[in-house]
Amino acid sequence: MTPDIRLQAPSKINGNLLVKDAKNTVEGQQDYSTPRLLQFFSARLILEVFGSAGAVWGFLDVCKLRNHATNELWRQYAVTVGVIFFIRYCLQISDYVKLTKNENGVASKTDYWVRFFQIFSAKLVLEVFGGAGAVWGFSEVLTLRNSVTQELWRFNSLAMGCIMFVRFLMQMKEYSVNHSTRKR
């Protein structure tokens, strides 16, 4: 009989939402093993740390802010975002290790704002900027974007960025409403 392996549903009460996603439930037992840690956090390194710098880089290109004269300036900004996301990544690993040792603290009022900032700064970079940058980059990979179609793909990419931004605002509202109803 194969074990039932699935990701545990994220907790809306505990502030360690990303850490909760990393826990496996195997036949009712929590799996905090080293292979699970490596599996979960190697994906986060690629998608969040490297992806954050790439999302900023691509979004700057879509918005016509990046060109030959400004590449080095914007490279520094993209690297800075990557470093910030690397620090965030290290803090997530720290939270994961604390959780495995059952060092959960009591949630405070500031936890809401810290959590809000962690969630939505990442969503802005990875989903909004990344969504626009992904369409832009993918159109080039498929050779759909060329000198004739460049402005069409710029419009498509910015439209995707706008759609993702509206989604981002709706998620912020939902998070705030859920938090305010939970406090009552």
Side-chain angles (χ1 to χ4, degrees):
M1 181 172 189
T2 59
D4 180 22
I5 300 175
R6 60 186 165 313
L7 284 177
Q8 180 177 338
S11 168
K12 290 186 176 186
I13 297 170
N14 192 321
N16 295 324
L17 181 64
L18 295 173
V19 174
K20 292 285 187 190
D21 290 343
K23 292 193 318 185
N24 247 356
T25 303
V26 180
E27 295 179 358
Q29 300 293 321
Q30 298 300 328
D31 179 10
Y32 293 110
S33 63
T34 301
R36 180 65 182 148
L37 174 79
L38 293 174
Q39 175 189 16
F40 185 74
F41 285 106
S42 62
R44 286 205 175 274
L45 178 68
I46 301 296
L47 296 173
E48 293 183 6
V49 177
F50 300 165
S52 65
V56 169
W57 189 254
F59 191 68
L60 290 167
D61 195 26
V62 171
C63 294
K64 292 186 175 183
L65 295 173
R66 190 169 60 87
N67 57 47
H68 183 67
T70 62
N71 261 354
E72 290 309 310
L73 170 71
W74 292 118
R75 185 181 318 276
Q76 292 172 6
Y77 283 104
V79 167
T80 300
V81 168
V83 168
I84 290 168
F85 271 74
F86 182 72
I87 292 167
R88 179 180 174 269
Y89 170 78
C90 292
L91 292 172
Q92 289 174 355
I93 292 174
S94 172
D95 284 348
Y96 184 88
V97 169
K98 286 177 186 175
L99 185 65
T100 62
K101 294 179 181 180
N102 292 322
E103 295 178 12
N104 287 334
V106 177
S108 68
K109 189 175 183 179
T110 58
D111 287 345
Y112 167 78
W113 291 108
V114 169
R115 190 75 192 125
F116 185 88
F117 178 74
Q118 287 176 344
I119 291 170
F120 292 104
S121 62
K123 284 185 172 290
L124 179 66
V125 172
L126 297 173
E127 295 179 11
V128 177
F129 300 165
V135 171
W136 184 252
F138 196 67
S139 67
E140 184 173 7
V141 167
L142 294 178
T143 66
L144 298 172
R145 182 164 48 96
N146 54 44
S147 59
V148 176
T149 62
Q150 184 163 333
E151 292 309 311
L152 169 68
W153 284 104
R154 187 177 314 279
F155 173 81
N156 292 342
S157 299
L158 290 172
M160 179 56 67
C162 288
I163 291 167
M164 296 304 286
F165 185 70
V166 169
R167 177 177 175 265
F168 168 78
L169 294 175
M170 291 169 59
Q171 289 174 335
M172 284 176 52
K173 179 183 176 192
E174 181 181 352
Y175 183 86
S176 297
V177 168
N178 286 343
H179 179 72
S180 66
T181 58
R182 199 173 62 226
K183 284 173 58 176
R184 292 181 200 169

